[in-house]
Amino acid sequence: MRTLLFAGLIALVANTGCHQANKSASKDTLVDTTLTTDSIFNLVEKQTFEYFWDGAEPHSGLARERYHVDGDYPEHDQNVVTTGGSGFGIMSILVGIERGYITRQQGFERLSHIADFLEKADRFHGAWPHWIYGETGKVKPFGQKDNGGDLVETAFMMQGLLCVRQYFANGNEQEKALSAKINKLWEEVEWSWYRNGKNILYWHWSPTYEWQMNFAVTGYNECLIMYVLAASSPTYSIPAEVYHEGWAKGGKIRDSVNAYGYTLKLHHNYARELGGPLFWAHYSYLGLDPHGLKDKYADYWEHNVNQVLIDRAWCIENPKHFKGYGADSWGLTASYSVSGYAAHAPGKETDLGVISPTAALSSMPYTPEYSKQAMVHWYKNYEGKLFGKYGFYDAFSETDHWYPQKYLAIDQGPEVVMMENYRSALLWKLFMSCPEVQGGLKKLGFESPYIK
């Protein structure tokens, strides 16, 4: 749905010790300005993981869509869980096990509980909705006609679940049973149903409105993972022409646009000149390793690095003269905004003066030194205004003196996963070890070091 929001925006216009710490704006967090870069990295990763552990919705174990420190929820949605953000959170729990934040048994028990919930929750031809009531498992409509299956959010969820399946596949009998349950959920997603009889995948299907949302998903945006998983499905697979004719638009996805000396070889929807919000370089690649990932349209590592570098270069140039932008404070993506929510991106209409820390932190594998530079600056130089118990808050604007103590799951999750992928490639190795994924990529014409 971030793509829909971006289109609309275009159309409208580890534990570390504390020494002498400075008290932050949040009552429950201390900021220690003497920490080293590595210590800050460890702290950020651990505290952000806690969003999905300590901060999870208690009945389902899944990720709350949002968390507001002040407890003010105008839509009364504090216990609504998000399918995509929960997929990212599931991956974060695996990070927590590997980093020793929780034990393997604790992680297994939470993930088993989550799998049980997902098995009973509303599904529509195997696909979960965008939002689910955590207490009941029933769909919460994202919009009037968006009250059924959301295939993109389901793809983000399944990306995480397949990592869990692989993680526990060779464990004890209980762990193997969890892997088998996840495998059943995987096999029950009817990817091919969402073709609506055409050589393209549709984002939504509703039991009451059927295909009226009418959102056929073409590239390029954050949705590549959906096509990869649909091609990889052992039960409801799509043929290669759905990818090439639908996602790749019969080859029209190809492009060659230069900005700040960096070239984008894919046509970015609604953002051709400057690449759009940075979550497009994150969501599909939390499990799908872009290293050496190529098809006849792009080299995805090169492409993602270039999108991040364009975003940073725009913030350094800062043509709209927003306060606080620069080499050590950059990153535009979908997040909370001064007035609601917006898909921030380079561009005169889409840059609203709001920096979203997830943009730089989730780019850690692509631009590690630049991402660390921003991370340290935000942690040390804002007197705690940007950092709370679940890591960096979602967004801020120095221009508007706006520092809300709010979090969104869809932004916190990629931080943990991509920081860990930078360190150990944990989630990349797990996801890419799936034989079905290797087969699906091969079917679509991809090259990857993982394809046997």
Side-chain angles (χ1 to χ4, degrees), residues 50-365:
E50 290 291 347
Y51 182 94
F52 303 99
W53 189 255
D54 173 72
E57 192 282 317
H59 182 85
S60 64
L62 292 171
R64 289 184 168 99
E65 166 71 8
R66 65 190 85 250
Y67 177 80
H68 298 169
V69 173
D70 62 7
D72 183 20
Y73 296 89
E75 302 298 321
H76 306 289
D77 57 354
Q78 59 266 43
N79 289 322
V80 170
V81 300
T82 169
T83 296
S86 291
F88 305 161
I90 285 168
M91 300 168 96
S92 299
I93 291 173
L94 297 179
V95 174
I97 296 171
E98 287 296 296
R99 287 285 152 200
Y101 308 151
I102 55 175
T103 67
R104 183 182 179 98
Q105 183 63 24
Q106 286 175 315
F108 164 78
E109 290 174 0
R110 174 71 64 87
L111 292 165
S112 294
H113 181 72
I114 286 170
D116 289 343
F117 178 87
L118 290 172
E119 187 177 44
K120 298 172 185 175
D122 281 348
R123 283 184 285 169
F124 305 87
H125 291 275
W128 292 281
H130 187 117
W131 281 336
I132 304 172
Y133 287 108
E135 300 96 334
T136 65
K138 299 299 182 182
V139 57
K140 172 180 168 59
F142 195 77
Q144 181 183 350
K145 296 180 180 179
D146 189 358
N147 65 343
D150 184 313
L151 200 63
V152 175
E153 294 285 309
T154 295
F156 297 150
M157 171 62 78
M158 194 52 64
Q159 183 178 212
L161 286 173
L162 286 174
C163 288
V164 175
R165 186 193 74 174
Q166 297 302 99
Y167 190 82
F168 290 109
N170 297 316
N172 61 37
E173 290 306 308
Q174 287 182 319
E175 291 174 349
K176 288 178 180 176
L178 172 58
S179 290
K181 179 170 288 190
I182 289 171
N183 196 61
K184 183 173 180 288
L185 293 172
W186 160 232
E187 292 178 345
E188 289 171 349
V189 180
E190 298 178 28
W191 306 93
S192 54
W193 166 265
Y194 284 81
R195 292 174 62 182
N196 189 22
K198 304 178 181 68
N199 278 345
I200 198 166
L201 290 174
Y202 283 77
W203 199 307
H204 316 90
W205 180 80
S206 161
T208 49
Y209 299 97
E210 296 186 327
W211 303 103
Q212 288 186 37
M213 285 289 289
N214 197 33
F215 196 99
V217 183
T218 62
Y220 183 77
N221 52 33
E222 76 274 27
C223 302
L224 175 61
I225 190 66
M226 178 179 67
Y227 277 88
V228 170
L229 288 172
S232 302
S233 171
T235 46
Y236 296 97
S237 183
I238 61 168
E241 52 262 34
V242 178
Y243 174 74
H244 295 294
E245 295 176 23
W247 171 256
K249 299 176 285 194
K252 292 181 181 178
I253 196 172
R254 291 190 185 94
D255 208 339
S256 184
V257 175
N258 185 281
Y260 300 103
Y262 308 108
T263 301
L264 296 176
K265 294 185 178 179
L266 297 174
H267 183 95
H268 284 218
N269 297 340
Y270 313 105
R272 179 174 181 263
E273 300 299 327
L274 292 165
L278 275 188
F279 72 88
W280 290 1
H282 303 147
Y283 290 1
S284 280
Y285 306 99
L286 301 184
L288 185 64
D289 189 347
H291 286 94
L293 186 70
K294 304 175 185 178
D295 66 1
K296 62 183 180 179
Y297 308 112
D299 177 322
Y300 290 87
W301 177 261
E302 176 185 272
H303 181 266
N304 292 352
V305 169
N306 284 349
Q307 186 190 354
V308 176
L309 291 172
I310 288 169
D311 187 290
R312 181 174 182 268
W314 169 273
C315 291
I316 292 172
E317 183 190 14
N318 191 17
K320 296 183 72 174
H321 308 292
F322 290 122
K323 186 177 180 182
Y325 279 35
D328 56 1
S329 191
W330 57 275
L332 308 179
T333 194
S335 69
Y336 276 122
S337 196
V338 178
S339 300
Y341 183 92
H344 310 104
K348 291 185 178 179
E349 294 180 355
T350 51
D351 182 2
L352 306 179
V354 174
I355 296 291
S356 310
T358 185
L361 295 174
S362 301
S363 297
M364 194 70 69

Side-chain angles (χ1 to χ4, degrees), residues 31 33-36 40 375-383:
V31 169
T33 58
T34 70
L35 293 182
T36 65
I40 294 171
M375 176 188 72
V376 171
H377 172 65
W378 294 329
Y379 181 80
K380 287 192 173 184
N381 297 327
Y382 282 82
E383 299 179 340

